[in-house]
């Protein structure tokens, strides 16, 4: 997901959405959940979903419940601050 988004955005990300305790890898719907996370974050930040990258870590193979992310994305976005980062 992240590699595809970086390629689509010209290797520039404007946001990272991360979760821990539960990885999205080796799950039947892991890619779909990662894409949904990007869409949720992008909608709150008024950016393209391709400008959002995902970081998930934790238990592999366990289904990631998307509902807590969906229900708290507005709160998460309110806690953000804008900073400039240098392109590596």
């Amino acid at each position: 997901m992240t590699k595809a988004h970086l390629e689509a955005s010209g290797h520039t990300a404007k946001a990272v959405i991360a979760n821990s305790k539960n990885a999205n890898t080796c799950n039947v719907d892991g890619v779909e959940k990662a894409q949904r996370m990007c869409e949720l974050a992008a909608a709150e930040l008024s950016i393209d979903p391709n400008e959002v990258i995902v970081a998930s870590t934790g238990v592999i193979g366990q289904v990631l419940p998307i509902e807590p992310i969906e229900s708290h994305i507005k709160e998460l976005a309110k806690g953000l601050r804008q900073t400039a980062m240098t392109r590596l």
Side-chain angles (χ1 to χ4, degrees):
M1 176 65 50
T2 292
K3 183 177 178 182
H5 281 201
L6 287 172
E7 289 173 0
S9 68
H11 300 278
T12 302
K14 291 185 178 178
V16 178
I17 186 161
N19 72 287
S20 63
K21 293 180 77 177
N22 192 327
N24 65 344
T25 192
C26 298
N27 290 324
V28 71
D29 65 349
V31 172
E32 291 83 5
K33 296 277 179 74
Q35 181 63 35
R36 181 70 179 137
M37 289 170 59
C38 291
E39 291 166 356
L40 290 166
E44 283 302 312
L45 301 173
S46 300
I47 61 176
D48 187 295
N50 287 319
E51 296 172 318
V52 181
I53 58 176
V54 177
S56 287
T57 186
V59 178
I60 294 173
Q62 182 174 326
V63 176
L64 173 68
I66 196 72
E67 296 80 14
I69 298 165
E70 289 174 327
S71 65
H72 290 89
I73 193 69
K74 289 186 184 304
E75 181 181 348
L76 292 170
K78 284 181 187 176
L80 295 177
R81 59 185 167 83
Q82 188 173 4
T83 58
M85 294 186 68
T86 304
R87 186 175 180 181
L88 300 177

